[in-house]
Amino acid sequence: MALVDISDLTIGFGADETKPPVVDGVDISIGKGEIVALVGESGSGKSMTALSIVGLLPERGRVRAGRVLFEGEDLLAFDEAGLRSVRGARIGMIFQEPMTSLNPVLTVGEQLVEALIVHEGLSKAESRKRAVAMLERTGIDHAERRLRQYPHEFSGGMRQRVMIAMMMALKPALLIADEPTTALDVTIQAQILDLLREMVRDLDTSLLLITHDMGVVAEMADRVVVMRNGQVVEHGECRSIFAAPQAEYTRKLLAAVPTLDDPTRTTTAASFGSEVLRLADVSRSFGGGGLFSRQAPLKAVDGVTLSVQAGETLALVGESGSGKSTLGRLAMRLETPDHGWVMVSGKDITRLSGRGLRRMRRAIQMIFQDPYASLDPRFSIGRTIAEPMILEGSVPRSVVRERVGALLERAGLSAAMAARMPHELSGGQRQRVAIARALAVNPQIIVADEPTSALDVSVQAKILDLMIELQEADSLAYLFITHDLAVVRRIAHRVAVMRKGRIVELGAAADVLERPIHPYTRALIAAAPVPDPARRRERRHGMPETEGAAAGHPGEWRAVGDQHWVLA
Amino acid sequence: MLRFLGQRAAMGLLTIFVTTIAVTLLIHLVPGDPVEIMYAQSQGTTPEQLEAMRSKLGLDQPIPVQYVQYIGRLLEGDLGVTIRGQQPVAQLLMQRLPNTLALAALAMLIATLIGVPLGFLAAYKRGTVLDGLLMVTAIAGISIPHFWLGLLLLFWLAVDLGLLPVAGSGPLNIVLPALTLGLSNAAIVARMTRSAMIDVMSQDFIRTAHAKGLSKGKVLRRHVLRAGLVPVVTVMGLQFTFMMGGAIVVENIFAWNGIGRLALEAIFQRDYPVIQGFILVFATTVVVVMLALDAVYALLDPRIRRS
């Protein structure tokens, strides 16, 4: 008998049963020790399904029908006290945001022992011992001392380890992991996935892994359940789903996933136009130097030299804290470099300010990661796009209206959308609006900071296609900032890999991705999950501490191929 | 944490320093000649007397000189003497300050003991009739001015029921003014507590706590309350300063001998040294209280304590 047997589960919001449900007649079964991936895009109902298992639906969520059999008992029939005895003890749960999933005002130790004390009635000392053992098991050093620390003293990956230790300490029969690695860097993601797999195997725990990332699915799952609009569209063995997807939606989903096998965009430096952006030896530090500060300033960007030509996409790749976003802001002159200079279309903008700087910003525009936050919620779409033109002042109103319509159409929307408000649009539509706004002043280069990271894969693919199309029509240049190597492959001509404020490797996309030289680039590529279960491999742990990137050591550039350099 | 408190202490000193400048200038901000205004009601003052007063107060000197002299005297603990009665201002203020502090502290205690539990209860019962009732009461509490609430309590508890003395300075006399001040602030504290707790209840780590199988009560006590108190304490600092301001009104209603009452008398009599001294002592008290609350804040929030 399966450990978990969900049948005909239907969940809606509010008491009104005539409203369409968010989860609609879902059947899922999970065997003992099995890893089942629940896949779907945002709004597919996958998280609601998982939360209903432990009775933690959001306030207005109601189960309208169905059964959730767990070890033969229907959890939906349990009262609060009954559910409480299951939660934590028999079913553990970890969430996406390791930064907010732990209580900031309690020590990690206090939070680790809570469940042990409640469920097993252990004494303080005994539960502490168990907590230490568990932390050590998840790969946290100095566990004894770590227990007395607070969550803010841990990195994102470490917090997720704490969460895993906390939820696995009671050896639950089922662990539900809701996007456990989505907020983490790829190299950390690889380590956390390894840890999860190892822990559930050793403790014979079943794992329900909720994710939108087909790469993660391929790396982890025994079986896959694909959800869309609250319904299961396909389920089966992981390998067979990847090899021969049956449902139309699964096929589309898999096709949209960028893989590391896709061909890179091939071009030679000669085919691009003139240089539109040049950063020469730019550095920027933060912190330090304050009246009371005794900390050394943090070098976010440290002596970076780059150039981008018309019609070219330079991808800037790195993990969080690598300085890639700061570099993008320096290019826009949203930050002023401490050293070095910034040139846009051959003009030095390093020391420009006021009107001169604003005039130069017509040539360089920016698209941000979060399409929800980057549009003013009180501006209509038309007004948002028209604003840069109106600020320019020279364009008459009637022409502005016409051009807004034309821009919307170029961005793949209809001109009629100008009257809409941002909240009426989907994430992908909003990002199209952001692109239309950037194009409004006819820039030569767009700095795109993770423009597709907040989007579902199918939407992401369409946005990338749009960006490529616009580039080819107008020889637009992109400085494309991302952490996702598969996205790089789809859009980049050249790649610059950034780590700790420095560029460690630079070259044509095909060279860097297929013949990486720098150990960090290699580690990044090795850590990226491959959406193909047939090629699942045991991962390499850890991150090489590279000599060249070590603090204080400037390193030297070495040419390793045609237009391919490595910091050594 | 020491660095954090050091920064706050430095900011506090700066505040007091700016206050001394304001206090020196104060006398010149009043339209007309301050000494003439002082003597406006006393008949038959000779120009010589006015001149003597002017030089006694140092008003015949240039303003920067006045300021330096003022600071010099201040460092010796000399706040001047009252114009009527020639008593040392510092001594007078120090006699009255403990009464005001006792009143504000007791009021704060009442506000906290009533406001925090009720706010917490309202947050827990969010959306229910009880929550609505509590919040309507709170809004009413905020809207009622001190002097009106004070008079109501006075009539009811002191005049009708005769439970408490109407006015004076015995130990029981503090109850009515403290209750007046405390009740209207309890309403503000309750509202703050409610919104802080509701904010915490929707945080991810509360979901984690539930996922561990902790009971509702345990989640509330261990996770919600501790985390939710951090912003509440911040507001209480501001609250205390409002309370000091409110004390001026309430002290006068109940004839409570605090510095607020002294200040009001001084204002009516245009006794500038007393007004100046009052403002300085008031500002210093607020700075000290805020500093103490910063320390409490740091103790509650490890993110500050450990940095």
Side-chain angles (χ1 to χ4, degrees):
Chain A
M1 191 186 67
L3 176 76
V4 181
D5 198 352
I6 299 173
S7 53
D8 193 32
L9 182 68
T10 304
I11 302 169
F13 273 110
D16 184 2
E17 302 242 335
T18 57
K19 275 201 264 175
V22 289
V23 173
D24 189 3
V26 163
D27 304 308
I28 297 171
S29 80
I30 305 167
K32 186 126 192 67
E34 198 178 28
I35 300 181
V36 174
L38 188 53
V39 192
E41 300 190 275
S42 45
S44 61
K46 56 190 196 300
S47 290
M48 287 298 143
T49 304
L51 287 169
S52 72
I53 297 175
V54 284
L56 287 177
L57 283 177
E59 218 167 295
R60 294 180 57 249
R62 304 253 188 293
V63 174
R64 292 184 190 165
R67 268 187 332 173
V68 177
L69 289 187
F70 174 73
E71 295 178 325
E73 289 178 284
D74 187 1
L75 291 179
L76 294 181
F78 277 37
D79 61 0
E80 185 59 28
L83 280 172
R84 222 155 48 217
S85 66
V86 174
R87 282 184 210 140
R90 305 295 302 145
I91 303 178
M93 190 150 188
I94 57 181
F95 303 99
Q96 173 172 351
E97 269 302 329
M99 294 296 173
T100 55
S101 294
L102 293 168
N103 191 331
V105 301
L106 297 179
T107 64
V108 163
E110 283 174 282
Q111 299 186 60
L112 268 166
V113 299
E114 267 178 340
L116 291 166
I117 294 173
V118 167
H119 292 293
E120 299 204 346
L122 295 183
S123 72
K124 275 242 162 84
E126 278 172 297
S127 58
R128 255 189 121 71
K129 232 196 255 162
R130 276 271 284 281
V132 169
M134 231 32 223
L135 270 191
E136 275 168 356
R137 201 146 163 204
T138 56
I140 291 180
D141 297 331
H142 313 293
E144 191 74 54
R145 186 164 53 89
R146 286 293 206 168
L147 282 188
R148 287 190 295 274
Q149 294 187 325
Y150 288 88
H152 73 273
E153 295 168 270
F154 288 65
S155 67
M158 297 285 260
R159 287 184 218 197
Q160 209 58 305
R161 284 175 196 273
V162 170
M163 280 296 285
I164 292 172
M166 196 154 88
M167 290 305 174
M168 294 302 284
L170 284 145
K171 304 189 174 62
L174 172 68
L175 180 67
I176 301 171
D178 190 351
E179 304 270 9
T181 57
T182 307
L184 303 174
D185 282 327
V186 276
T187 52
I188 309 294
Q189 162 170 293
Q191 295 165 22
I192 296 294
L193 290 179
D194 274 348
L195 176 66
L196 265 178
R197 193 168 16 192
E198 199 181 295
M199 295 281 275
V200 295
R201 193 175 53 207
D202 292 356
L203 298 174
D204 200 23
T205 296
S206 306
L207 176 64
L208 178 62
L209 179 68
I210 297 153
T211 181
H212 69 282
D213 186 336
M214 294 310 273
V216 171
V217 174
E219 293 281 335
M220 299 287 289
D222 299 322
R223 281 194 312 115
V224 180
V225 177
V226 184
M227 278 185 78
R228 188 195 190 192
N229 296 336
Q231 293 178 320
V232 173
V233 294
E234 182 163 5
H235 64 96
E237 293 292 315
C238 185
R239 275 166 191 266
S240 57
I241 284 210
F242 276 88
Q246 298 301 310
E248 175 65 26
Y249 176 69
T250 316
R251 274 201 292 275
K252 262 169 57 188
L253 197 61
L254 282 171
V257 176
T259 74
L260 294 178
D261 299 326
D262 291 341
T264 52
R265 295 176 77 184
T266 48
T267 26
T268 52
S271 62
F272 295 122
S274 55
E275 182 179 276
V276 288
L277 173 70
R278 168 170 282 272
L279 299 169
D281 197 27
V282 289
S283 297
R284 178 79 171 107
S285 302
F286 292 106
L291 195 51
F292 300 100
S293 176
R294 255 174 281 148
Q295 281 168 320
L298 175 80
K299 277 196 168 176
V301 172
D302 186 6
V304 167
T305 299
L306 277 183
S307 76
V308 187
Q309 289 168 278
E312 182 192 33
T313 303
L314 174 66
L316 201 53
V317 184
E319 298 189 290
S320 47
S322 62
K324 58 188 194 302
S325 287
T326 306
L327 193 61
R329 294 172 61 81
L330 284 167
M332 281 290 295
R333 271 296 315 282
L334 291 171
E335 296 281 350
T336 302
D338 302 333
H339 300 288
W341 39 274
V342 181
M343 276 173 81
V344 171
S345 305
K347 286 192 204 77
D348 188 349
I349 64 164
T350 323
R351 303 285 161 232
L352 283 185
S353 62
R355 185 192 297 246
L357 182 61
R358 281 200 298 276
R359 193 173 301 129
M360 271 324 290
R361 289 232 176 96
R362 277 179 224 162
I364 181 163
Q365 286 288 310
M366 194 154 188
I367 308 172
F368 299 93
Q369 171 172 356
D370 189 345
Y372 290 88
S374 60
L375 299 180
D376 190 319
R378 284 173 299 271
F379 275 25
S380 72
I381 299 308
R383 188 167 165 207
T384 292
I385 298 172
E387 198 177 28
M389 288 184 263
I390 293 169
L391 289 178
E392 219 170 282
S394 54
V395 199
R397 293 263 159 172
S398 59
V399 177
V400 167
R401 190 164 311 133
E402 211 170 283
R403 274 183 45 191
V404 166
L407 284 165
L408 278 169
E409 273 162 17
R410 278 193 76 188
L413 301 167
S414 72
M417 280 227 175
R420 301 261 204 104
M421 299 302 284
H423 70 264
E424 299 173 63
L425 272 50
S426 69
Q429 287 175 323
R430 286 182 211 210
Q431 205 57 298
R432 286 173 189 270
V433 171
I435 291 172
R437 174 178 56 186
L439 292 174
V441 288
N442 292 318
Q444 289 168 308
I445 176 165
I446 291 181
V447 176
D449 192 353
E450 303 265 12
T452 57
S453 302
L455 305 174
D456 284 326
V457 273
S458 58
V459 183
Q460 176 180 337
K462 287 181 196 140
I463 295 289
L464 290 178
D465 288 345
L466 171 68
M467 289 183 71
I468 291 171
E469 195 187 301
L470 292 170
Q471 177 168 58
E472 283 167 356
D474 274 1
S475 335
L476 200 56
Y478 293 128
L479 179 63
F480 195 101
I481 301 166
T482 183
H483 68 281
D484 189 338
L485 289 169
V487 167
V488 171
R489 193 169 264 272
R490 202 163 259 193
I491 195 159
H493 298 105
R494 285 194 303 140
V495 180
V497 181
M498 235 181 135
R499 189 187 189 198
K500 292 182 184 168
R502 304 176 64 91
I503 290 185
V504 297
E505 186 158 357
L506 175 69
D511 290 338
V512 174
L513 295 178
E514 272 146 35
R515 291 176 289 282
I517 305 291
H518 196 277
Y520 179 68
T521 315
R522 290 179 178 203
L524 268 187
I525 291 171
V530 180
D532 180 1
R535 295 198 315 189
R536 188 183 296 181
R537 65 242 130 113
E538 287 301 316
R539 293 167 179 281
R540 287 165 286 271
H541 279 281
M543 170 62 45
E545 193 54 44
T546 51
E547 323 72 48
H553 192 292
E556 257 174 46
W557 282 99
R558 190 158 59 85
V560 289
D562 184 29
Q563 306 290 309
H564 184 180
W565 289 277
V566 169
L567 191 71
Chain B
M1 177 173 162
L2 279 178
R3 207 181 94 204
F4 167 76
L5 288 181
Q7 283 179 19
R8 290 308 169 102
M11 286 303 293
L13 280 176
L14 190 68
T15 309
I16 295 173
F17 172 69
V18 172
T19 310
T20 59
I21 297 177
V23 161
T24 317
L25 292 178
L26 172 83
I27 215 162
H28 299 282
L29 290 177
V30 188
D33 182 276
V35 177
E36 275 175 27
I37 295 169
M38 266 181 232
Y39 285 93
Q41 269 130 37
S42 16
Q43 309 247 312
T45 324
T46 62
E48 287 72 33
Q49 277 175 311
L50 289 184
E51 206 45 55
M53 179 49 81
R54 214 164 270 142
S55 82
K56 184 161 173 284
L57 292 175
L59 294 176
D60 47 354
Q61 306 278 340
I63 292 177
V65 176
Q66 287 180 35
Y67 180 68
V68 172
Q69 288 174 344
Y70 178 68
I71 291 289
R73 277 182 280 131
L74 200 60
L75 291 175
E76 292 168 5
D78 178 10
L79 292 176
V81 292
T82 59
I83 291 174
R84 270 148 243 248
Q86 306 291 317
Q87 280 175 283
V89 171
Q91 199 188 338
L92 198 60
L93 285 169
M94 284 308 137
Q95 268 171 13
R96 301 285 198 100
L97 183 63
N99 288 341
T100 299
L101 287 179
L103 174 60
L106 189 62
M108 193 79 198
L109 191 71
I110 292 171
T112 310
L113 288 182
I114 295 175
V116 171
L118 286 187
F120 191 63
L121 185 68
Y124 178 55
K125 298 274 180 195
R126 177 180 28 154
T128 63
V129 177
L130 180 64
D131 174 31
L133 217 61
L134 282 170
M135 284 307 111
V136 168
T137 316
I139 290 170
I142 293 168
S143 318
I144 296 176
H146 290 138
F147 62 85
W148 178 240
L149 181 66
L151 289 177
L152 283 183
L153 288 173
L154 192 69
F155 279 125
W156 181 45
L157 291 174
V159 179
D160 282 358
L161 298 176
L163 292 176
L164 293 161
V166 175
S169 47
L172 268 181
N173 285 89
I174 197 173
V175 177
L176 270 181
L179 214 53
T180 305
L181 210 48
L183 282 179
S184 47
N185 282 287
I188 299 173
V189 172
R191 278 182 64 84
M192 262 313 300
T193 308
R194 178 178 180 271
S195 60
M197 295 300 163
I198 284 177
D199 186 50
V200 171
M201 282 175 194
S202 67
Q203 298 278 317
D204 288 350
F205 61 79
I206 298 304
R207 190 178 51 181
T208 306
H210 283 297
K212 278 190 246 183
L214 301 186
S215 66
K216 258 199 178 127
K218 237 195 163 96
V219 172
L220 286 176
R221 277 196 309 277
R222 277 179 67 91
H223 289 270
V224 178
L225 193 58
R226 282 270 290 273
L229 276 182
V230 177
V232 173
V233 167
T234 323
V235 173
M236 281 195 189
L238 286 171
Q239 221 34 54
F240 192 84
T241 62
F242 286 132
M243 207 127 5
M244 293 283 290
I248 299 178
V249 176
V250 173
E251 281 175 8
N252 280 288
I253 297 174
F254 295 99
W256 179 253
N257 264 332
I259 55 168
R261 191 148 174 251
L262 180 70
L264 205 66
E265 284 162 9
I267 289 167
F268 286 141
Q269 295 169 359
R270 313 217 186 281
D271 202 333
Y272 280 99
V274 179
I275 300 171
Q276 286 176 318
F278 165 75
I279 293 172
L280 195 63
V281 167
F282 192 92
T284 310
T285 312
V286 168
V287 165
V288 170
V289 169
M290 292 297 255
L291 201 59
L293 271 152
D294 278 334
V296 176
Y297 186 58
L299 282 178
L300 279 176
D301 192 338
R303 282 164 293 191
I304 294 175
R305 192 189 334 149
R306 293 287 185 102
S307 61

